């Protein structure tokens, strides 16, 4: 029998000042001799108006590593009343760490300079943040830890900066000009992703004098057993759907293919993402958890683009979970798509918005297009 766990503190960190749509290409850098043809199309579709980058808007130099940005978010928990030096467990999720090794959690621990603790890093794409949260939750629920800190973070700008994509532009500009689909595939993620970090404190008792969020359950589903890779970095995707990783290439091949660039199979995404991240898992949750729309006061979705909002709702209806959109909360337009950090940033803002009332129930949704996975979390306001 596991114990009850509460999110007793939340914090978020967004670097530098907000970046408006018209300033994005100046800060990230232009690829080739012409401005991006995809930028306006993608921005019109995704509905994002501002986002944040770990790039100085004046000098255009990097201002943060992933680890020190994550540490900044965690320090915000101290401002929320948590004694960081008493942390028992630190679980950190991110899509791409600053280095291959040591782990991202080890580097964050080092940035914080905390006493010895259990440090665990979870990897993947957007679900890595929820996986870190679930690890922390299970440790506290099992009585293994007095408390835990979970964090999600992304430093996407490093992967989208022209300084890291210039070689591809020089080599393949003729291909990009001839093939609009290829250009969109390689270019559109530059206008979708942003930087930031968030963190939660998990404890076995609620803290007095504040709103706490009881974690009722966290469920995650991977469909990699039946689906091929959709979103990837550090590899090249073959026509048969298989990946060739960076460690199987020569330095020249890695440079020619710009293997560190983040890519997404847009056709595969559009065909399958709603079925595998919304409809199919919700049907499972109805059966396993007795999930009912009538029991949900607020739906907090992480989706990458406004383009998917109505599609998410349509898939929820197909699954039999009709939560009207006036009971949804997202900060995508002004905080951007921050991948594995998004749910932390969404929940932190929502918790501080004074909309929550005791007894309300929240359903949080985190999809991942890496090889099609999804996660749902059910919370009750205490």
């Amino acid at each position: 029998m596991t114990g009850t766990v509460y999110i007793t503190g939340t914090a978020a960190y967004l670097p530098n000042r907000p970046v408006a749509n018209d300033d994005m290409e100046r800060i990230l850098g232009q690829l080739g001799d012409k401005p991006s043809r995809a930028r306006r199309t993608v921005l019109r579709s995704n509905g994002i108006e501002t986002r944040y980058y770990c790039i100085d808007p004046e000098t255009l130099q990097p201002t943060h590593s992933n680890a020190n940005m994550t540490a900044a978010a965690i320090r915000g928990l101290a401002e929320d009343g948590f004694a960081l030096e008493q942390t028992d467990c630190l679980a950190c999720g991110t899509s791409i760490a600053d280095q291959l090794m040591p782990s991202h959690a080890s580097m964050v621990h080092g940035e914080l300079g905390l006493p010895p603790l259990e440090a665990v890093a979870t990897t993947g794409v957007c679900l890595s943040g929820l996986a870190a949260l679930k690890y922390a939750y299970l440790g506290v629920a099992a009585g293994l830890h007095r408390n835990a800190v979970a964090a999600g973070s992304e430093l996407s700008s490093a992967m989208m900066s022209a300084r890291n994509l210039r070689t591809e532009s020089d080599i393949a500009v003729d291909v990009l000009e001839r093939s609009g689909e290829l250009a969109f595939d390689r270019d559109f993620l530059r206008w979708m992703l942003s930087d930031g970090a968030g963190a939660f404190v998990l404890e076995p008792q609620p803290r007095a004098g504040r709103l706490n969020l009881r974690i009722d359950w966290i469920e995650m589903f991977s469909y990699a057993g039946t689906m091929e890779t959709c979103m990837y970095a550090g590899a090249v995707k073959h026509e048969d759907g298989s990946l060739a990783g960076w460690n199987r290439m020569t330095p020249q091949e890695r440079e020619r293919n710009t293997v560190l660039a983040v890519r997404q199979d847009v056709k595969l995404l559009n065909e399958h993402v709603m079925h595998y991240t919304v409809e199919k898992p919700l049907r499972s949750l109805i059966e396993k958890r007795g999930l009912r729309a009538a029991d949900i006061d607020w739906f907090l979705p992480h989706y990458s683009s406004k383009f998917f909002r109505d599609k998410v709702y349509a898939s929820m209806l197909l699954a039999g979970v009709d939560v009207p959109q006036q009971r949804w909360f997202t900060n995508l337009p002004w905080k951007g798509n921050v991948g594995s950090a998004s749910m932390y940033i969404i929940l932190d803002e929502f918790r501080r918005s004074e909309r929550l009332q005791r007894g309300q129930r929240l359903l949080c949704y985190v999809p991942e297009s890496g090889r099609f996975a999804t996660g749902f979390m059910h919370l009750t306001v205490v």
Side-chain angles (χ1 to χ4, degrees):
M1 184 72 176
T2 57
T4 306
V5 180
Y6 301 86
I7 297 173
T8 61
T10 64
Y13 182 80
L14 296 158
N16 301 314
R17 64 174 185 247
V19 176
N21 289 347
D22 290 341
D23 217 18
M24 295 175 72
E25 196 157 24
R26 180 187 70 83
I27 293 175
L28 291 177
Q30 182 175 296
L31 297 181
D33 299 327
K34 300 179 181 179
S36 167
R37 293 177 297 168
R39 184 177 69 88
R40 292 192 182 278
T41 301
V42 174
L43 290 171
R44 188 165 54 246
S45 177
N46 69 26
I48 301 173
E49 298 172 8
T50 58
R51 76 285 296 146
Y52 295 79
Y53 294 139
C54 290
I55 300 174
D56 186 291
E58 307 305 330
T59 67
L60 304 183
Q61 295 302 307
T63 58
H64 301 73
S65 70
N66 193 334
N68 54 48
M69 179 175 60
T70 308
I74 294 172
R75 290 190 188 100
L77 298 174
E79 298 173 10
D80 200 26
F82 178 68
L84 286 181
E85 67 276 6
Q86 296 180 9
T87 304
D88 272 4
C89 175
L90 174 65
C92 301
T94 191
S95 299
I96 302 174
D98 297 313
Q99 64 291 311
L100 293 177
M101 58 176 117
S103 81
H104 177 55
S106 293
M107 300 307 289
V108 173
H109 185 196
E111 287 282 336
L112 292 167
L114 295 178
L117 48 71
E118 180 174 332
V120 173
T122 55
T123 61
V125 195
C126 294
L127 265 184
S128 60
L130 191 62
L133 180 58
K134 186 166 186 178
Y135 184 93
Y137 158 66
L138 292 175
V140 175
L144 301 175
H145 305 298
R146 296 170 300 169
N147 60 61
V149 169
S153 64
E154 299 293 359
L155 185 60
S156 299
S157 63
M159 311 296 290
M160 302 183 299
S161 173
R163 72 179 70 202
N164 291 328
L165 297 174
R166 185 71 62 189
T167 302
E168 177 175 14
S169 178
D170 293 342
I171 293 173
V173 67
D174 57 329
V175 178
L176 294 176
E177 287 297 321
R178 289 197 306 269
S179 174
E181 182 177 341
L182 179 63
F184 187 74
D185 176 37
R186 294 189 177 185
D187 195 21
F188 93 112
L189 284 171
R190 297 188 82 212
W191 320 118
M192 298 282 286
L193 306 174
S194 53
D195 300 344
F200 296 162
V201 176
L202 280 65
E203 297 182 278
Q205 293 90 26
R207 267 195 258 168
R210 64 170 60 210
L211 289 179
N212 302 269
L213 299 169
R214 187 183 71 217
I215 301 177
D216 300 314
W217 46 260
I218 301 173
E219 296 280 0
M220 296 190 295
F221 304 83
S222 169
Y223 300 102
T226 54
M227 294 300 299
E228 66 181 68
T229 303
C230 180
M231 186 176 185
Y232 56 98
V236 171
K237 185 175 180 180
H238 298 312
E239 290 187 9
D240 65 359
S242 64
L243 294 187
W246 64 271
N247 56 354
R248 295 168 57 184
M249 303 176 193
T250 65
Q252 293 76 21
E253 289 172 327
R254 288 196 290 271
E255 182 177 11
R256 184 169 63 250
N257 291 293
T258 319
V259 296
L260 290 182
V262 180
R263 291 180 169 84
Q264 191 162 46
D265 187 325
V266 179
K267 183 174 182 294
L268 192 67
L269 177 77
N270 290 334
E271 289 178 357
H272 299 289
V273 68
M274 289 298 107
H275 176 70
Y276 282 105
T277 72
V278 182
E279 184 183 350
K280 192 174 177 66
L282 280 180
R283 291 184 187 278
S284 297
L285 290 174
I286 290 171
E287 181 177 348
K288 180 177 180 179
R289 295 289 184 177
L291 185 67
R292 298 192 316 148
D295 297 333
I296 301 168
D297 296 290
W298 292 100
F299 180 56
L300 278 59
H302 161 54
Y303 47 78
S304 61
S305 168
K306 183 183 70 174
F307 172 80
F308 290 114
R309 184 181 175 98
D310 288 340
K311 294 180 183 295
V312 169
Y313 184 55
S315 294
M316 292 175 70
L317 293 179
L318 287 174
V321 183
D322 182 4
V323 182
Q325 292 193 33
Q326 59 264 33
R327 302 212 310 261
W328 293 24
F329 176 79
T330 178
N331 52 20
L332 178 73
W334 55 93
K335 295 291 177 64
N337 171 16
V338 203
S340 66
S342 285
M343 188 50 61
Y344 290 82
I345 294 169
I346 290 170
L347 204 51
D348 176 66
E349 181 172 338
F350 193 54
R351 175 175 168 260
R352 299 173 190 273
S353 70
E354 300 184 353
R355 301 188 196 189
L356 292 179
Q357 299 176 15
R358 183 185 303 173
Q360 288 184 330
R361 288 156 295 194
L362 286 59
L363 182 66
C364 305
Y365 157 65
V366 182
E368 175 177 299
S369 62
R371 195 159 174 171
F372 294 99
T374 194
F376 286 86
M377 175 170 62
H378 192 280
L379 305 170
T380 299
V381 182
V382 177

